[in-house]
Amino acid sequence: MYLFDSQLSLDQIRNTMPVLQINGITKKYGRITAVNDLHLTINKGEIFGLLGPNGSGKTTTLGIVLGLIKANSGSYNWFDGSSNNNQNTKIGTILETPNFYPYMTAIENLELIAHIKKAGRENIEPTLELVDLIHRKNSRFHTYSLGMKQRLALAGALIGNPEFLILDEPTNGLDPQGISEVREIIQKIAHSGTTILMASHILDEVEKVCSHVAIIKKGKLLATGEVGSILSDQIQVELISDNNGKLLDLLDNRYEISGLNKSGEKIVFNIDANFSSGELNKLAFENGITISHLLTKKTSLEQEFLEITKNK
Ligand SMILES: Nc1ncnc2c1ncn2[C@@H]1O[C@H](COP(=O)(O)OP(=O)(O)OP(=O)(O)O)[C@@H](O)[C@H]1O
Ligand SMILES: [Mg+2]
């Protein structure tokens, strides 16, 4: 059976088997520290977003784990613990705009890639199907639109059925339609069991596509975890009551509460986006608690991202 015939749920695929471990990697270019003591673990089945503003060290990190750039210190391990590049047939990548031959058709270009990768040709057509180019398989590459070229690049990276796919800003330069097509394909690839590491500077993209995220700035890791736990649409609540402890216990039973902070009488926490302050008032009243101060503020993902990367 061909890999893409099966579309599994990500939960079926995911386990906590590390596929790539990055252990304290540092890379300096003269006085610039591009990657600064970076630790990351990527497990099987994850769509892992490396999110950071321009110049934060994303491409450098990808280049290092692909063995294209030498780190100053630290190490990384692929799959079974090896850090050599014998594993490379298991890794598919689009790091730069790929070199396709303009006057060769999509099929011919992919056949050439299959030959170079010593992979069978039987996967070429299903891969073109997956990236939605089967109807243009006999068109020459130079007749393709930018979005089609990018999708062919994805197909090229998938030849040889890699277990791990590395993508650097896969939607760069595409129009909204092209962006959404590429994002959909990335998710389909993940559902066929391939682990994906993708760099992006676009928060919205990581939120829409990725299961996990690491936020970096100036080469430093600022936060990592499941997308929902790091970046979540939440409401920030600030309150003072005559029994904060009891009120929090009551709330905790009904909602997910995080980021609890106390300063004197005042407590601040984040709560589910579907929470309403009316419910809070009712809950307090029913339990004999008096609220003397209540402020709610919606924290957007954008704000949260800016907050995390601010002054760091
Ligand atoms: N070959 C190089 N020589 C000197 N400095 C470099 C080199 N490559 C990268 N850098 C510097 O390292 C830092 C990280 O660059 P990198 O390309 O990894 O960032 P990035 O997160 O991929 O950025 P972008 O979002 O713009 O692609 C930047 O300050 C960059 O100028
Ligand atoms: Mg980059």
Side-chain angles (χ1 to χ4, degrees):
M1 185 182 70
Y2 184 63
L3 185 64
F4 301 133
D5 288 346
S6 63
Q7 287 283 303
L8 306 169
S9 86
L10 289 181
D11 282 340
Q12 281 173 298
I13 297 162
R14 243 173 243 153
N15 58 40
T16 47
M17 191 176 81
V19 182
L20 171 62
Q21 252 171 331
I22 297 177
N23 317 303
I25 280 185
T26 296
K27 172 68 188 175
K28 294 183 178 176
Y29 291 108
R31 266 179 297 169
I32 295 169
T33 303
V35 182
N36 192 348
D37 191 26
L38 184 68
H39 292 261
L40 282 184
T41 301
I42 297 157
N43 294 309
K44 185 168 166 49
E46 291 177 354
I47 311 179
F48 197 101
L50 195 56
L51 175 66
N54 291 138
S56 55
K58 304 180 294 292
T59 301
T60 305
T61 303
L62 300 186
I64 289 169
V65 298
L66 281 166
L68 302 172
I69 298 170
K70 203 169 156 16
N72 293 91
S73 55
S75 63
Y76 60 92
N77 306 91
W78 278 108
F79 302 104
D80 53 5
S82 55
S83 67
N84 60 45
N85 298 309
N86 298 338
Q87 303 287 338
N88 265 353
T89 51
K90 291 185 180 176
I91 305 164
T93 183
I94 317 178
L95 214 44
E96 292 144 28
T97 320
N99 288 322
F100 287 115
Y101 286 94
Y103 290 99
M104 274 165 46
T105 66
I107 288 269
E108 287 166 350
N109 268 297
L110 293 186
E111 276 173 354
L112 187 61
I113 291 176
H115 178 74
I116 292 165
K117 287 189 179 175
K118 298 187 175 68
R121 292 177 181 193
E122 66 280 4
N123 290 348
I124 290 176
E125 296 234 351
T127 306
L128 281 170
E129 196 111 39
L130 178 88
V131 300
D132 200 16
L133 286 174
I134 198 74
H135 60 296
R136 292 292 301 270
K137 66 178 181 180
N138 292 318
S139 300
R140 291 169 191 232
F141 180 72
H142 76 93
T143 67
Y144 273 22
S145 72
L146 187 65
M148 293 164 78
K149 286 177 177 165
Q150 191 64 0
R151 299 205 310 274
L152 189 66
L154 276 170
L158 289 170
I159 297 294
N161 274 341
E163 290 177 31
F164 197 98
L165 192 60
I166 293 187
L167 306 172
D168 194 3
E169 313 266 2
T171 61
N172 239 6
L174 303 184
D175 67 11
Q177 166 93 16
I179 288 173
S180 109
E181 283 165 1
V182 165
R183 287 177 181 169
E184 226 170 87
I185 291 164
I186 292 171
Q187 285 184 318
K188 266 201 243 170
I189 295 167
H191 281 275
S192 71
T194 310
T195 308
I196 297 172
L197 170 60
M198 59 176 265
S200 176
H201 66 279
I202 307 163
L203 168 71
D204 177 59
E205 172 153 291
V206 169
E207 202 224 338
K208 287 202 171 105
V209 176
C210 298
S211 61
H212 292 71
V213 61
I215 299 177
I216 61 169
K217 187 170 176 193
K218 292 188 186 154
K220 273 187 96 152
L221 180 68
L222 302 183
T224 184
E226 282 186 40
V227 165
S229 67
I230 301 292
L231 304 165
S232 60
D233 263 320
Q234 287 202 317
I235 291 173
Q236 195 181 62
V237 181
E238 187 185 292
L239 69 78
I240 302 173
S241 79
D242 59 356
N243 197 340
N244 287 345
K246 186 176 173 190
L247 189 55
L248 274 176
D249 279 346
L250 290 165
L251 283 169
D252 215 4
N253 282 331
R254 299 187 185 198
Y255 300 95
E256 188 78 30
I257 287 181
S258 63
L260 185 63
N261 239 311
K262 291 182 196 176
S263 71
E265 284 296 278
K266 201 194 293 180
I267 53 173
V268 179
F269 55 90
N270 297 319
I271 197 163
D272 247 53
N274 50 27
F275 158 88
S276 83
S277 55
E279 273 173 72
L280 176 67
N281 275 318
K282 188 162 169 271
L283 191 69
F285 180 75
E286 284 170 357
N287 288 278
I289 301 166
T290 309
I291 295 177
S292 54
H293 168 83
L294 175 65
L295 202 74
T296 59
K297 192 171 81 184
K298 185 135 176 53
T299 56
S300 73
L301 293 175
E302 202 66 46
Q303 269 173 334
E304 213 173 326
F305 178 53
L306 290 173
E307 196 65 35
I308 291 172
T309 54
K310 192 176 72 184
N311 304 326
K312 295 269 170 62

